[in-house]
Amino acid sequence: MNIILALIIFSVIILFHELGHFLLAKFNDVRVNEFCLGLGPTLVGFTKGETKYSLKLLPFGGACMMEGEDEASEDDRGFNNKTIPQRFSIVAAGPVFNFIMAFAFSLILVASVGFDRPVLTDVMEGYPAKEAGLQAGDEIVKLGSKNIHLYREVSIYTYLHAGEEVEVTYKRDGEKHKAVLIPKLDEESGRYLMGFYGTTARTKGSVWDTLRYSVYEVRYWICSTIESLGMLVTGRVSVNELSGPVGIVKTIGDTYTETKSAGLLLVFLNMLNICILLSANLGVMNLLPIPALDGGRLVFLIVEAVRGKRMDPNKEGAVNFVFLMALMVLMVVIMFNDIRKIIM
């Protein structure tokens, strides 16, 4: 059941990503040769019109294969024979569709269970929050220059800025107040604490609140992904701590096992939350300026617009292929680490 759930989630997210490329390609009259789910040899497929639709052997990834995408083509409907704005829209559509999916799922989640407001439930004696006059019921609205809308944002901010002085803006009885806090080291936990408690318990609001907090939900996962990448670049986390498909399957399985006794609705909502995370994550990762990813292709298009001259499609395709192989090697390393963690 765990693997089935994981395959369904992966398939839905990847298909929607590729659907973005597909629909914008069709809109811009680009010939799509194949639209597929998975990688490797074809298991089943059929052709409708000019496009082959297929299911591949390896259940990870997918593709919208367009004429002239990675090679020179004399076909007027070839990808590289379209204008820069047309090509830009086609490439950008994949990540954009991931963000649209994350928002749609967030709407369902927030409408069902609400949102976690950044309201304090208590403050700790002997810590900066108490000394600065903060109290239960205060709502955190800003930490430093970062606007806060969810309590989870408070938690991740304090983790990423451990030990740093921070200006806290909070609301009490409708009025805004400010306090400067210097986190204090808690010797028992080894963590720097500002000394307040909140809760991730969710509350429901109006239709407007549902729409607004759905945006905040997606924003939270996008920012968390970007901040995690920053920690990877700065060495605060290592490649060994990353999770790939195997690790995600395990997370999905563990979540299902822990929640199935509470009923199908809770299982559904937890799977929905995972879908939001993965869809937002895929959107961000694909926008990284790395060849073979959508972000890398967008960089090539920007360079082309600046130079006023198109790069040789065959050379661009070769660069994309090299980086694709490098990414595949990275995925193998991450998969090995996932398997090692499970075994150990």
Side-chain angles (χ1 to χ4, degrees):
M1 186 63 181
N2 297 350
I3 294 177
I4 293 174
L5 277 173
L7 287 177
I8 292 172
I9 290 172
F10 285 142
S11 298
V12 169
I13 293 172
I14 293 168
L15 275 176
F16 206 72
H17 175 94
E18 297 301 334
L19 182 64
H21 295 312
F22 178 83
L23 292 179
L24 267 292
K26 291 293 188 180
F27 179 80
N28 287 290
D29 195 32
V30 172
R31 181 186 297 277
V32 179
N33 296 325
E34 186 174 5
F35 183 82
C36 67
L37 175 64
L39 302 171
T42 300
L43 292 178
V44 293
F46 64 92
T47 301
K48 184 176 181 180
E50 63 189 16
T51 305
K52 179 181 179 181
Y53 301 87
S54 58
L55 178 66
K56 303 290 186 177
L57 176 63
L58 302 176
F60 305 113
C64 174
M65 303 177 191
M66 296 171 280
E67 176 70 23
E69 182 180 6
D70 291 318
E71 71 285 328
S73 174
E74 296 181 0
D75 191 332
D76 290 339
R77 296 179 62 211
F79 174 81
N80 275 309
N81 294 325
K82 297 298 180 178
T83 65
I84 291 176
Q86 286 175 316
R87 284 178 282 154
F88 198 97
S89 68
I90 294 169
V91 174
V96 169
F97 265 53
N98 279 129
F99 297 139
I100 291 173
M101 169 179 272
F103 175 70
F105 286 170
S106 292
L107 274 176
I108 299 172
L109 185 68
V110 174
S112 300
V113 298
F115 43 87
D116 53 310
R117 293 176 60 217
V119 175
L120 304 186
T121 57
D122 200 3
V123 290
M124 302 168 62
E125 292 287 346
Y127 280 84
K130 178 75 172 180
E131 295 169 357
L134 275 77
Q135 61 189 42
D138 291 343
E139 181 177 0
I140 306 297
V141 296
K142 202 169 186 179
L143 290 174
S145 60
K146 182 178 178 62
N147 292 319
I148 301 296
H149 303 98
L150 307 170
Y151 190 75
R152 282 166 290 161
E153 293 177 312
V154 176
S155 300
I156 197 168
Y157 185 94
T158 55
Y159 171 72
L160 293 173
H161 299 271
E164 297 179 14
E165 178 180 288
V166 59
E167 182 179 71
V168 179
T169 305
Y170 61 96
K171 276 185 180 179
R172 180 185 297 167
D173 299 325
E175 294 186 5
K176 286 187 179 180
H177 305 270
K178 293 184 178 181
V180 176
L181 306 183
I182 302 175
K184 179 180 177 181
L185 178 64
D186 177 54
E187 295 182 358
E188 185 176 340
S189 65
R191 295 173 54 197
Y192 283 92
L193 305 176
M194 286 190 273
F196 48 63
Y197 294 111
T199 177
T200 55
R202 292 172 177 253
T203 56
K204 292 185 179 181
S206 64
V207 173
W208 169 242
D209 286 333
T210 299
L211 289 169
R212 192 160 53 99
Y213 278 91
S214 295
V215 172
Y216 296 152
E217 188 81 22
V218 177
R219 174 179 173 270
Y220 167 76
W221 289 116
I222 290 174
C223 291
S224 295
T225 301
I226 294 172
E227 287 162 349
S228 297
L229 287 171
M231 292 174 70
L232 180 64
V233 171
T234 57
R236 294 182 64 183
V237 297
S238 69
V239 174
N240 291 335
E241 295 177 74
L242 299 179
S243 284
V246 174
I248 295 170
V249 169
K250 184 179 184 302
T251 298
I252 292 171
D254 291 344
T255 303
Y256 171 73
T257 301
E258 291 169 6
T259 58
K260 65 179 180 179
S261 60
L264 289 177
L265 179 59
L266 187 58
V267 171
F268 171 74
L269 292 174
N270 275 281
M271 294 302 115
L272 204 61
N273 196 46
I274 291 174
C275 285
I276 297 167
L277 160 63
L278 294 179
S279 191
N281 186 279
L282 183 61
V284 172
M285 297 300 289
N286 265 281
L287 285 175
L288 293 177
I290 299 173
L293 298 179
D294 293 330
R297 293 179 182 274
L298 294 176
V299 170
F300 280 127
L301 289 171
I302 293 171
V303 170
E304 179 182 331
V306 172
R307 293 176 67 224
K309 182 179 179 182
R310 182 173 300 174
M311 179 178 287
D312 185 336
N314 291 322
K315 291 181 179 178
E316 182 178 337
V319 172
N320 285 328
F321 179 78
V322 170
F323 275 85
L324 177 61
M325 292 300 101
L327 288 172
M328 293 298 289
V329 171
L330 177 61
M331 285 300 298
V332 170
V333 172
I334 293 173
M335 188 177 297
F336 173 79
N337 285 331
D338 283 341
I339 295 171
R340 180 175 55 82
K341 291 173 190 173
I342 293 172
I343 295 174
M344 296 176 62

